[in-house]
Amino acid sequence: MTAAIELRGVVKHYGETRALGGIDLTVDAGRIFGFLGPNGAGKTTAIRILLDLIRPDEGSAFVMGFNCQRESVQVRKRVGYLAGDLRLYEGMRGNEFLNYIDSFRPEKKDATYRDALCERLGLDPTKRIRALSKGNRQKLGVVQALMHRPEVLILDEPTSGLDPLVQDEVVRLLEEAVSEGRTVFFSSHVLPEVERISQSVAFIRQGELIAVEDVAALKSRNVHVLEVTFSAPPPPSLFALPGLKELHRDGSTVRVQAQDGVDAVIKACATQTVIDLRTEQPSLEDVFLAYYTGDGPTGAHDERREARRASA
Amino acid sequence: MQARSIFTKALFDQKMQILGFGLTLAVIAAMDVYIWPSYRDTLQNFEIPPAFEALLGGDLNLATAPGFLSAEFYSWIPILLLVYAVIQGTGAIAGEESGGTMDLVLAQPVTRRSFVLQRIAATILASVLIIAIGYTGWLVSVPFVDIDVTLWDVFLANVNLLPITLLFFALSLAAGAIAPTRGMAVAVTVGIATATFFMQTLAATVDVLEPLRYLSPFYYYGNGQPLVDGLNWAHVALLTGISCGLAIVAVRTFEERDVSVGGASDLTLAAMLRRTFATRTGT
């Protein structure tokens, strides 16, 4: 399988700030690939390097085998791009804007498909952009990225600002693109969205690629979250188990994540009197957070969960 | 009318400016010609202090029609065209970045060089159109007034407006490619234009400053009196050459650097003030 997108040791600094610290990433052609990470993790930086809007300090990037810096026009011929911070020409009408974007690839102009896209997303392209809501601007951005049926779609937060029904339609459009053998690379900071849409996912944090995984494989991983209350302090042997991660401890109650099934955990717990035991089916979020070392984000996530439980 | 390329879009986007600046030039020119007969007699016995004369553009004989029109029109019209040039020059690169739309265009299969060259071509054509519309002011006045200038003299003097306009366009284009924000690019260009304008006029009156006038583009513009001295092709070539040099600087700089998204630069005034403040308080 050929690589649609490839990043090799890409480093990027903004002044003193390191935005990307040596990213290696391969996206296979014909896949929906989610690029996941919190805001400010470096997703947009990596995407803008692919389009040669910014240049890496080290390393190189390729799209469909073309070097993003040296052959950037060849790259952009094959790419449909939606910017994360989408800005449009306020004075133009939607149609005028789409004609302008079409003018860069006259050979790929397909008015029928373009009109169909507008209709499916519920966008009126005769209106002036100035008069469009945030959601309608985003629809226009999606249409201009998709309308020439590019080989590779690079979309920075594509569903941002769209209501759920339109989001679903965008997802269907992306799935159609992939069914035609095209590649979708999109960024998101919303995990359930990535979980739902993508086939593969890369997780980026503070400019470092934490993990690249197959979503199906991730979901099938035998990860469990258990909350156990003991009659006395929990047995130390429990925490010595391989693949076990302590999420929270409050007196004799512990919350742990087991990455390799629950059997060993149950047996270790059973060496002491167990008062209560709860297990949860982990979300992709939990699976992913298993990659974290036990600092900030895990704790914060745990607190969020606590808050959700308290309010429920 | 619809935009079919970067060039046509840039041209359509400034259609109101072309019309506005062009008609302003035309109206001022026609007014100057029509008031000439009533001024002529008054000015004939009028002594103008040399310093004041220099500010109006050099050793002009205001009692002659070419001298009068040079002082009343050609000596300051470049300042008006400068406003247009700075709007376009800083708009082409810095403006499109500040507006955040540069990402949209440069994500298309077009090189940065082609983008800038198309914007330059659009502005050259628009400048020619502005000056051509301005020329209609002379066409509707000179033949109907007893005035000692020909439409050909005025045509050449109008042609002479183009190089200085394009010079300030190229300067602000380069400033927009180098400076992190459009505001800073405007400030730099207007600063240079104002300084060189007064340098030229002061150098004409103060002997010690005389050599400085050769540093001012307004000197090569022809001292504001092409109607008196005729068109100096060497000066036209020099201004055009400098403009080309500045355009190359603009293209090269923009090709080499990162494209910024509106307001993303940390060189904003707010950020600079923050840094200054942080240094002073030692935090």
Side-chain angles (χ1 to χ4, degrees), chain A residues 12 52 76 89 99 105, chain B residues 2 96 108 110 112 258:
Chain A
K12 179 68 185 176
D52 195 36
R76 294 195 297 261
Y89 296 105
N99 284 343
R105 299 179 190 81
Chain B
Q2 285 217 346
E96 196 106 22
Q108 311 307 324
V110 60
R112 295 190 193 181
D258 288 351

Side-chain angles (χ1 to χ4, degrees), chain A residues 12 48 52-55 73 76-77 81 85 87-89 92 96-97 99-101 103-105 144, chain B residues 2 4-6 9 96 99-100 103-112 255-256 258-259 261-262:
Chain A
K12 179 68 185 176
R48 293 184 80 230
D52 195 36
L53 294 166
I54 54 176
R55 312 282 167 55
V73 171
R76 294 195 297 261
K77 259 186 192 165
Y81 168 61
D85 180 17
R87 307 281 190 90
L88 303 161
Y89 296 105
M92 281 180 145
E96 289 169 353
F97 168 70
N99 284 343
Y100 182 51
I101 298 300
S103 74
F104 293 97
R105 299 179 190 81
Q144 63 83 29
Chain B
Q2 285 217 346
R4 296 291 177 190
S5 66
I6 293 165
K9 179 176 185 300
E96 196 106 22
D103 264 34
L104 212 57
V105 182
L106 291 185
Q108 311 307 324
V110 60
T111 61
R112 295 190 193 181
E255 276 182 328
E256 292 305 314
D258 288 351
V259 174
V261 187

Side-chain angles (χ1 to χ4, degrees), chain B residues 237-260:
Chain B
L238 183 75
L239 289 180
T240 308
I242 295 171
S243 300
C244 291
L246 287 167
I248 291 169
V249 168
V251 171
R252 286 282 167 82
T253 309
F254 185 52
E255 276 182 328
E256 292 305 314
R257 70 169 169 82
D258 288 351
V259 174
S260 72

Side-chain angles (χ1 to χ4, degrees), chain B residues 49-70:
Chain B
F52 185 62
E53 215 171 70
L55 286 172
L56 289 174
D59 311 319
L60 293 171
N61 185 353
L62 290 182
T64 68
F68 172 78
L69 293 173
S70 294

Side-chain angles (χ1 to χ4, degrees), chain A residues 19-268:
Chain A
L20 291 177
I23 298 272
D24 289 290
L25 178 68
T26 304
V27 177
D28 293 331
R31 307 266 292 175
I32 302 191
F33 196 103
F35 197 38
L36 178 71
N39 292 322
K43 303 185 296 287
T44 299
T45 300
I47 284 175
R48 293 184 80 230
I49 284 173
L50 292 173
L51 288 139
D52 195 36
L53 294 166
I54 54 176
R55 312 282 167 55
D57 299 327
E58 287 169 44
S60 44
F62 301 85
V63 170
M64 300 307 288
F66 292 98
N67 186 298
C68 294
Q69 271 64 55
R70 289 200 298 275
E71 303 160 294
S72 64
V73 171
Q74 289 300 323
V75 167
R76 294 195 297 261
K77 259 186 192 165
R78 291 160 175 81
V79 169
Y81 168 61
L82 173 64
D85 180 17
L86 180 67
R87 307 281 190 90
L88 303 161
Y89 296 105
E90 298 291 315
M92 281 180 145
R93 291 180 193 281
N95 271 329
E96 289 169 353
F97 168 70
L98 294 174
N99 284 343
Y100 182 51
I101 298 300
D102 259 336
S103 74
F104 293 97
R105 299 179 190 81
E107 73 285 357
K108 289 190 179 164
K109 184 170 173 160
D110 181 348
T112 318
Y113 183 54
R114 190 176 109 177
D115 293 345
L117 286 174
C118 291
E119 179 138 359
R120 282 179 66 177
L121 294 174
L123 171 70
D124 177 3
T126 60
K127 281 192 176 153
R128 277 212 196 278
I129 291 171
R130 194 181 292 124
L132 294 180
S133 66
K134 167 106 178 61
N136 280 320
R137 283 159 190 255
Q138 186 71 5
K139 290 176 192 173
L140 199 53
V142 170
V143 172
Q144 63 83 29
L146 285 161
M147 65 186 180
H148 53 276
R149 297 178 187 272
E151 288 170 56
V152 181
L153 278 157
I154 298 180
L155 313 170
D156 199 352
E157 307 266 354
T159 57
S160 144
L162 297 176
D163 63 57
L165 283 176
V166 182
Q167 284 190 18
D168 289 346
E169 195 59 42
V170 170
V171 170
R172 272 193 290 278
L173 287 167
L174 299 185
E175 283 165 353
E176 285 169 23
V178 168
S179 73
E180 292 165 15
R182 300 186 278 135
T183 310
V184 177
F185 181 70
F186 77 99
S187 78
S188 176
H189 65 277
V190 189
L191 211 139
E193 174 178 276
V194 177
E195 182 173 5
R196 186 164 60 108
I197 304 173
S198 52
Q199 296 165 317
S200 300
V201 57
F203 194 71
I204 185 174
R205 187 178 157 233
Q206 291 173 6
E208 304 283 354
L209 208 59
I210 307 291
V212 184
E213 286 281 334
D214 196 75
V215 171
L218 260 181
K219 282 182 182 167
S220 70
R221 271 199 184 183
N222 210 358
V223 174
H224 291 77
V225 173
L226 294 96
E227 194 173 271
V228 193
T229 305
F230 297 95
S231 61
S237 61
L238 176 66
F239 304 106
L241 288 174
L244 185 116
K245 203 165 131 144
E246 183 182 328
L247 298 176
H248 187 73
R249 193 190 318 209
D250 180 15
S252 54
T253 302
V254 291
R255 196 176 150 75
V256 295
Q257 185 177 61
Q259 288 186 51
D260 307 312
V262 288
D263 183 58
V265 182
I266 300 286
K267 282 173 179 156

Side-chain angles (χ1 to χ4, degrees), chain B:
Chain B
M1 284 206 294
Q2 285 217 346
R4 296 291 177 190
S5 66
I6 293 165
F7 171 78
T8 49
K9 179 176 185 300
L11 201 58
F12 293 160
D13 281 351
Q14 49 179 309
K15 55 182 184 288
M16 292 315 288
Q17 284 177 43
I18 294 171
L19 216 60
F21 280 98
L23 289 176
T24 305
L25 254 60
V27 168
I28 296 170
M31 262 168 45
D32 282 345
V33 173
Y34 280 108
I35 61 174
W36 163 246
S38 49
Y39 267 77
R40 181 172 38 201
D41 303 330
T42 325
L43 284 168
Q44 225 138 29
N45 306 312
F46 192 68
E47 281 287 324
I48 293 176
F52 185 62
E53 215 171 70
L55 286 172
L56 289 174
D59 311 319
L60 293 171
N61 185 353
L62 290 182
T64 68
F68 172 78
L69 293 173
S70 294
E72 289 292 318
F73 188 83
Y74 289 105
S75 65
W76 69 273
I77 284 297
I79 303 294
L80 185 70
L81 290 170
L82 169 83
V83 175
Y84 163 76
V86 172
I87 293 172
Q88 288 308 319
T90 58
I93 297 174
E96 196 106 22
E97 279 182 293
S98 304
T101 46
M102 191 66 104
D103 264 34
L104 212 57
V105 182
L106 291 185
Q108 311 307 324
V110 60
T111 61
R112 295 190 193 181
R113 180 177 305 186
S114 167
F115 172 82
V116 179
L117 291 180
Q118 290 190 58
R119 296 293 297 246
I120 292 174
T123 303
I124 292 174
L125 179 55
S127 303
V128 169
L129 289 173
I130 288 172
I131 292 168
I133 294 170
Y135 187 65
T136 60
W138 303 97
L139 288 176
V140 299
S141 56
V142 171
F144 312 107
V145 174
D146 175 24
I147 189 166
D148 191 20
V149 290
T150 67
L151 280 174
W152 176 246
D153 295 337
V154 176
F155 177 78
L156 289 179
N158 266 29
V159 168
N160 195 48
L161 288 169
L162 191 60
I164 189 122
T165 305
L166 294 179
L167 176 91
F168 284 113
F169 167 70
L171 180 66
S172 54
L173 186 72
I178 296 164
T181 64
R182 185 176 189 178
M184 219 178 273
V186 171
V188 167
T189 317
V190 171
I192 291 175
T194 314
T196 54
F197 183 75
F198 284 107
M199 198 155 85
Q200 145 70 11
T201 51
L202 284 176
T205 46
V206 185
D207 287 344
V208 196
L209 298 175
E210 218 266 330
L212 280 180
R213 68 194 313 190
Y214 302 108
L215 291 174
S216 170
F218 292 97
Y219 171 76
Y220 301 99
Y221 163 65
N223 236 354
Q225 42 182 313
L227 271 182
V228 180
D229 298 340
L231 198 52
N232 184 327
W233 289 104
H235 287 180
V236 168
L238 183 75
L239 289 180
T240 308
I242 295 171
S243 300
C244 291
L246 287 167
I248 291 169
V249 168
V251 171
R252 286 282 167 82
T253 309
F254 185 52
E255 276 182 328
E256 292 305 314
R257 70 169 169 82
D258 288 351
V259 174
S260 72
V261 187
S265 166
D266 61 350
L267 281 167
T268 55
L269 187 62
M272 288 201 302
L273 287 174
R274 237 188 341 263
R275 272 199 298 276
T276 313
F277 187 70
T279 319
R280 282 196 187 150
T281 53
T283 50

